[in-house]
């Protein structure tokens, strides 16, 4: 199956992921249990839409809902949340410390990627961050030198990276991009 279809079939949507993240965060002080109204406030949406989102999560065995409308993550959902949070952390560090994005932009972009990136890619990313933080001076120098680097795409479209669809030239044409 094509990759983008596979995510709809067995992955979580971005919205569903953030419901689970909210339940985890709010439940920390109450033995894992979170109130529907608190989840709604936390996500800035109505209680009605939280309830609608909880339906399929309950069906998939990812959340428990008790008679007082309190919600708790299943062990499987807790594992998924922990994984997303670890991916977010590694992505934020990579985007800010290596690519040089502002913390705000790094946080926005890692939020978009955190639930989609594969375990293998995330694992290699964590290893890369450990590599550059480790004792190898060449690794540290690579990052320092890259942070100073501002390359350009050649105007003749003959670019080794972009294969004729030069991104840097494209972004330069869009006002406000970058
Ligand atoms: Zn997100
Ligand atoms: Zn290029």
């Amino acid at each position: 199956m094509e990759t983008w279809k596979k995510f709809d079939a067995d992955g979580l949507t971005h919205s569903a992921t953030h419901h689970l993240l909210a339940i985890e965060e709010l439940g920390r002080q109450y033995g894992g249990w979170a109130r529907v109204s608190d989840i709604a406030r936390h996500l800035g949406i109505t209680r009605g839409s939280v309830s609608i989102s909880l339906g399929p999560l309950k069906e998939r065995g990812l959340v428990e809902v008790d008679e007082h409308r309190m919600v708790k993550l299943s062990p499987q959902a807790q594992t998924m949340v922990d994984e997303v949070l670890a991916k977010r952390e590694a992505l934020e560090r990579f985007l800010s410390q290596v690519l040089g994005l502002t913390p705000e932009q790094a946080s926005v972009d890692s939020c978009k990627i955190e639930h989609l990136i594969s375990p293998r890619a995330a694992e290699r990313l964590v290893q890369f961050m450990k590599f550059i933080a480790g004792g190898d001076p060449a690794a540290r120098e690579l990052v320092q030198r890259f942070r100073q680097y501002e390359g350009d795409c050649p105007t003749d479209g003959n670019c080794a990276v972009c294969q004729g669809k030069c991104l840097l030239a494209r972004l330069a044409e869009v006002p406000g991009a970058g």
Side-chain angles (χ1 to χ4, degrees):
M1 208 192 277
E2 292 152 62
T3 306
W4 66 271
K5 286 180 187 161
K6 203 159 172 286
F7 277 114
D8 280 349
D10 61 31
L12 282 179
T13 65
H14 199 179
S15 162
T17 305
H18 275 263
H19 280 71
L20 298 182
L21 289 167
I23 297 164
E24 196 271 344
E25 196 178 326
L26 294 165
R28 269 178 216 166
Q29 330 159 33
Y30 307 107
W33 292 97
R35 230 180 248 107
V36 169
S37 53
D38 290 337
I39 300 167
R41 199 174 313 120
H42 188 86
L43 295 173
I45 57 178
T46 64
R47 271 179 294 173
S49 30
V50 171
S51 297
I52 291 167
S53 301
L54 288 178
L57 293 175
K58 208 176 146 183
E59 265 168 48
R60 288 179 60 174
L62 294 174
V63 298
E64 270 179 67
V65 184
D66 78 359
E67 67 272 26
H68 308 293
R69 313 278 304 133
M70 299 287 284
V71 189
K72 190 181 186 167
L73 299 180
S74 73
Q76 186 200 352
Q78 182 66 53
T79 305
M80 290 163 98
V81 163
D82 290 343
E83 205 179 297
V84 168
L85 290 175
K87 287 172 173 175
R88 177 190 293 183
E89 184 65 36
L91 283 161
E92 277 190 9
R93 281 170 189 269
F94 176 75
L95 294 171
S96 59
Q97 294 173 18
V98 179
L99 300 193
L101 301 191
T102 63
E104 294 74 26
Q105 192 63 51
S107 152
V108 167
D109 281 318
S110 53
C111 172
K112 291 178 185 169
I113 309 167
E114 66 198 5
H115 68 298
L116 294 174
I117 189 172
S118 72
R120 178 61 179 155
E123 182 201 324
R124 291 303 289 161
L125 185 65
V126 168
Q127 282 171 353
F128 180 75
M129 294 310 290
K130 290 177 80 73
F131 175 64
I132 62 161
D136 188 339
R140 243 172 304 158
E141 202 194 326
L142 170 82
V143 173
Q144 274 166 15
R145 286 171 68 167
F146 175 69
R147 291 288 300 267
Q148 312 296 322
Y149 174 77
E150 286 287 352
D152 255 324
C153 284
T155 45
D156 61 6
N158 204 359
C159 177
V161 172
C162 309
Q163 301 298 322
K165 300 190 172 51
C166 276
L167 182 66
L168 300 180
R170 224 164 273 272
L171 293 179
E173 286 166 12
V174 184

